[in-house]
Amino acid sequence: MPQPMGILLLLVLSLAAAGLAVLTVVSLRQRRRMRLARVASDLGFRYSREDLFNVPVRYAEFALVTSGHCLLASNVISGHLEGLAVRAFDFQYEVGHGTRRMTRQYGVVVVEMPSPLPRLLMWHNGDFTPIPARQATQTRGPWSFLGNAELADGFIAAGDEWFAHGGCVEIRRHAILLATPAPTGRDALVTSLPNIVHTVKRLLVT
């Protein structure tokens, strides 16, 4: 039978390990926030931990945003590149309920254009596919898509490094949304913002 002092020591060690784990997570999050703030500063953008744009409402038509419940955007970077409004942010939502509830997290970039654009929804098969994307009628390698095939080919050719771990591209009305799953690919889009905007203009501005 364990002695009281042995039980107390185990309890203390368990609490210390839990506290260390919490401190590690907090430290990693803080470092990432500082890194995102530096990226924003280098681009002349603004950084905010909070969602100042009400992302779930502003982009409510996009398949990614309608994929679940308890929607949350954070770590928002916003500004202009090559004359276009650009926003990058962390986005998460939940699917299922109770013991079957799961949280999905993404890094997202939205580029807003001055004129309406051709419809496109493309989803990498390596990622969880929401219901709207399951209606895709065409495929290219690991991608399934609905809409403009020429644009789909253009994004696939340009975005290998962005979507190495899955993700999606969607165009609705005046906006283009690109997303990659966390944690592995979450920052791939943020660090490629100038290239993304250049690609978007090349593909969509005639």
Side-chain angles (χ1 to χ4, degrees):
M1 181 174 181
Q3 297 299 312
M5 286 300 294
I7 294 174
L8 180 60
L9 179 60
L10 287 174
L11 179 59
V12 170
L13 290 174
S14 297
L15 291 174
L20 181 60
V22 170
L23 287 174
T24 300
V25 170
V26 170
S27 176
L28 290 173
R29 287 179 177 173
Q30 182 61 26
R31 283 189 216 167
R32 182 168 179 269
R33 290 179 186 131
M34 293 174 64
R35 187 167 66 251
L36 291 174
R38 285 196 297 270
V39 170
S41 177
D42 290 344
L43 292 170
F45 279 25
R46 178 181 181 181
Y47 167 77
S48 171
R49 286 180 56 182
E50 309 299 327
D51 176 13
L52 303 179
F53 298 97
N54 199 0
V55 162
V57 173
R58 189 181 190 98
Y59 303 118
E61 293 183 320
F62 286 88
L64 180 70
V65 181
T66 61
S67 294
H69 54 87
C70 298
L71 314 178
L72 177 66
S74 60
N75 293 320
V76 182
I77 294 173
S78 59
H80 288 77
L81 282 173
E82 298 190 32
L84 301 178
V86 181
R87 295 184 181 92
F89 49 88
D90 294 342
F91 181 74
Q92 71 176 47
Y93 63 88
E94 295 182 359
V95 292
H97 298 275
T99 58
R100 302 184 66 181
R101 182 172 59 190
M102 295 178 61
T103 299
R104 299 192 180 279
Q105 299 177 318
Y106 290 82
V108 181
V109 168
V110 178
V111 182
E112 297 188 354
M113 306 291 286
S115 304
L117 303 167
R119 182 78 174 95
L120 176 66
L121 172 58
M122 49 189 291
W123 215 278
H124 195 285
N125 296 334
D127 188 25
F128 173 80
T129 307
I131 291 175
R134 294 174 197 168
Q135 303 171 23
T137 56
Q138 302 180 73
T139 60
R140 295 284 193 278
W143 291 89
S144 300
F145 67 94
L146 290 163
N148 191 295
E150 184 177 351
L151 286 179
D153 289 339
F155 278 109
I156 291 170
D160 280 348
E161 63 198 67
W162 308 335
F163 302 108
H165 305 282
C168 66
V169 177
E170 185 171 5
I171 301 176
R172 292 192 70 93
R173 303 180 191 275
H174 295 73
I176 305 100
L177 179 149
L178 303 89
T180 54
T184 312
R186 179 169 55 187
D187 291 342
L189 298 182
V190 173
T191 56
S192 301
L193 278 175
N195 289 336
I196 288 172
V197 173
H198 181 74
T199 297
V200 164
K201 290 195 74 171
R202 177 173 56 83
L203 294 174
L204 296 169
V205 178
T206 57

